Amino acid sequence: MDLNFTADDLAFQGEARAFIAAHYPPALRARQERGEELGKEDYLSWHRVLAKQGWVAPGWPVEYGGPGWTATQRYIWSEELARADTVPILPFGINMVAPVIYTFGTAEQKARFLPRILSGDDWWCQGYSEPGAGSDLASLRTRAVRDGDHYVVNGQKTWTTLAQHADWGFFLVRTDTTGKPQEGISFLLIDMNTPGITVRPIITLGGEHEVNEVWLEDVRVPVDQRVHEENKGWTCAKFLLAHERTGIAGVARSKRGVERIKAIARTETDGDRPLIADPFFRRKLAELEVDLTALEFTELRTLAGEAAGKGPGPESSLLKIKGTEIQQRITELALEAVGHYGAPYFRGFGEGDNAQAIGPDYARRAAPTYFNMRKTSIYGGSNEIQRNIIAKMVLGL
């Protein structure tokens, strides 16, 4: 594994850095700096800029609208996005359902859905988890019964991120109750405006409306919106989750988070000295950086494998485990660094709040972000399940 960038890589790095500096929406930057909760149009404003440039889907094949970047260029791009502290491109369309569609979908499905995912015209959500079927996803009970050229879908999904904004959702549904649970699941694309769909908010510990429960009551879904064969949706689900878990690692943005903690610790004081001078705090920060560096090298090995034509495998579970644990440690250390300034924001601020801000701007999101990031070790397949996958697929236990 060669860790040195070529001249072409360095030129691309400069181009990427200059583009972000010149084109990142100023209004979006201002909202971030004020610590405001971001809405649908905030995320889409940056998405549309990148779509116009042809850079919104780094991992897509060129024939479907990808930029044709190498694995190294994709790594550099993620580093530059983190360095500039841009909002993330939401993964549900670009990084999750789109690869399923262009890998398993029909020509008609590719032509219908991929351009609108690329442009941002369609906002997607993920209908996987259910009450009683989260980590044990194969036990899902949402039913889809064939009725001519439609499925009639009934059931409930939960923890559906940003479904309140979604135009479309990709759902795992049970189409057969005989045999092994994994062999009776299908993968459906569902218009979220279809009659019978109800989206109800779940307010998180950070005081935000990010996730939802979704009810489906006699929802009619055309059969041509099923991806892959009937009862073969588990193949799509596993393929999607491998890509999701690799992305969840979030190494580049974790590096940015560590730098932000350092900046806070140089400003905040512990008695008569900066917090960064406290040996106990410095030890926690050093241990965090060591673990993050190890994770980065693991990610680079994965990228080297991708460059050689190897898709994500069981190592994506390792990236997910360590990546999410590090993210949680970063938010915990950030909350510790802001100290009592974080206390007024334990429940966050919503629209219409007239409470006065206390302390520096960087304190405003420390507590809500800490609480929100408790979820990372659960979503995308809980870390306990990922350890089971590693034990079975890597260690052969």
Side-chain angles (χ1 to χ4, degrees), residues 10-30:
L10 292 173
F12 173 77
Q13 183 182 54
E15 181 186 6
R17 187 172 299 180
F19 178 85
I20 295 170
H23 295 90
Y24 194 70
L28 180 55
R29 175 68 69 201

Side-chain angles (χ1 to χ4, degrees), residues 215-265:
W215 296 83
L216 303 103
E217 300 174 88
D218 294 329
V219 176
R220 296 186 65 83
V221 180
V223 171
D224 64 11
Q225 290 171 201
R226 185 194 70 229
V227 180
H228 203 29
E229 301 173 33
E230 185 172 275
N231 300 327
K232 299 297 183 182
W234 194 247
T235 301
C236 299
K238 290 190 297 181
F239 175 86
L240 184 151
L241 286 170
H243 282 77
E244 179 187 5
R245 287 164 187 159
T246 302
I248 285 173
V251 172
R253 293 193 181 273
S254 288
K255 289 167 68 176
R256 171 73 178 179
V258 169
E259 293 304 313
R260 189 179 292 112
I261 291 172
K262 289 180 179 178
I264 293 172

Side-chain angles (χ1 to χ4, degrees), residues 43-370:
Y43 289 104
L44 287 178
S45 65
W46 181 224
H47 184 119
R48 292 182 183 120
V49 169
L50 295 179
K52 184 177 180 180
Q53 179 70 6
W55 289 1
V56 76
W60 286 27
V62 173
E63 60 265 35
Y64 300 123
W69 289 346
T70 65
T72 302
Q73 287 175 314
R74 294 199 301 271
Y75 172 77
I76 290 171
W77 178 241
S78 68
E79 288 280 310
E80 291 304 314
L81 291 174
R83 177 182 175 275
D85 196 25
T86 66
V87 298
I89 297 301
L90 294 177
F92 307 106
I94 292 290
N95 295 332
M96 295 170 70
V97 72
V100 171
I101 292 172
Y102 64 63
T103 302
F104 299 100
T106 63
E108 292 76 13
Q109 289 169 341
K110 296 173 189 178
R112 178 182 180 185
F113 293 108
L114 294 180
R116 293 181 63 84
I117 293 173
L118 204 62
S119 66
D121 288 339
D122 285 339
W123 179 295
W124 286 77
C125 66
Q126 178 185 22
Y128 271 31
S129 294
E130 300 180 5
S135 297
D136 183 17
L137 187 57
S139 65
L140 65 88
R141 293 181 293 178
T142 295
R143 291 277 283 126
V145 178
R146 186 74 177 261
D147 181 21
D149 58 358
H150 283 75
Y151 289 105
V152 180
V153 182
N154 284 276
Q156 179 189 2
K157 298 292 181 177
T158 193
W159 312 122
T160 312
T161 302
L162 300 177
Q164 71 270 30
H165 301 313
D167 304 295
W168 284 83
F170 51 97
F171 287 76
L172 291 182
V173 298
R174 183 158 303 286
T175 44
D176 189 357
T177 57
T178 63
K180 292 178 61 177
Q182 292 88 343
E183 295 174 354
I185 293 172
S186 296
F187 191 101
L188 297 185
L189 311 178
I190 302 181
D191 185 338
M192 293 297 288
N193 293 311
T194 307
I197 295 179
T198 302
V199 178
R200 297 174 182 167
I202 300 173
I203 305 303
T204 65
L205 282 171
E208 300 149 325
H209 177 195
E210 180 183 13
V211 292
N212 304 269
E213 55 182 1
V214 177
W215 296 83
L216 303 103
E217 300 174 88
D218 294 329
V219 176
R220 296 186 65 83
V221 180
V223 171
D224 64 11
Q225 290 171 201
R226 185 194 70 229
V227 180
H228 203 29
E229 301 173 33
E230 185 172 275
N231 300 327
K232 299 297 183 182
W234 194 247
T235 301
C236 299
K238 290 190 297 181
F239 175 86
L240 184 151
L241 286 170
H243 282 77
E244 179 187 5
R245 287 164 187 159
T246 302
I248 285 173
V251 172
R253 293 193 181 273
S254 288
K255 289 167 68 176
R256 171 73 178 179
V258 169
E259 293 304 313
R260 189 179 292 112
I261 291 172
K262 289 180 179 178
I264 293 172
R266 293 188 189 103
T267 303
E268 295 299 315
T269 58
D270 177 28
D272 59 354
R273 61 182 179 178
L275 180 60
I276 196 72
D278 178 81
F280 296 103
F281 188 88
R282 287 172 64 89
R283 185 193 67 198
K284 293 179 184 178
L285 192 56
E287 290 172 347
L288 184 58
E289 285 194 279
V290 167
D291 288 347
L292 182 55
T293 299
L295 179 65
E296 182 178 18
F297 276 84
T298 303
E299 184 180 58
L300 288 170
R301 285 195 296 270
T302 302
L303 288 173
E306 287 186 26
K310 177 185 176 184
E315 67 271 15
S316 64
S317 292
L318 178 61
L319 289 171
K320 195 273 178 179
I321 293 170
K322 297 304 296 182
T324 55
E325 289 178 347
I326 286 171
Q327 290 163 25
Q328 290 178 339
R329 288 165 60 191
I330 287 172
T331 59
E332 181 178 350
L333 201 56
L335 185 58
E336 180 180 336
V338 302
H340 59 277
Y341 287 132
Y345 310 113
F346 274 10
R347 291 294 298 175
F349 280 121
E351 293 294 330
D353 283 330
N354 60 4
Q356 292 294 316
I358 301 173
D361 289 341
Y362 54 68
R364 180 167 184 170
R365 295 296 305 167
T369 302
Y370 166 81

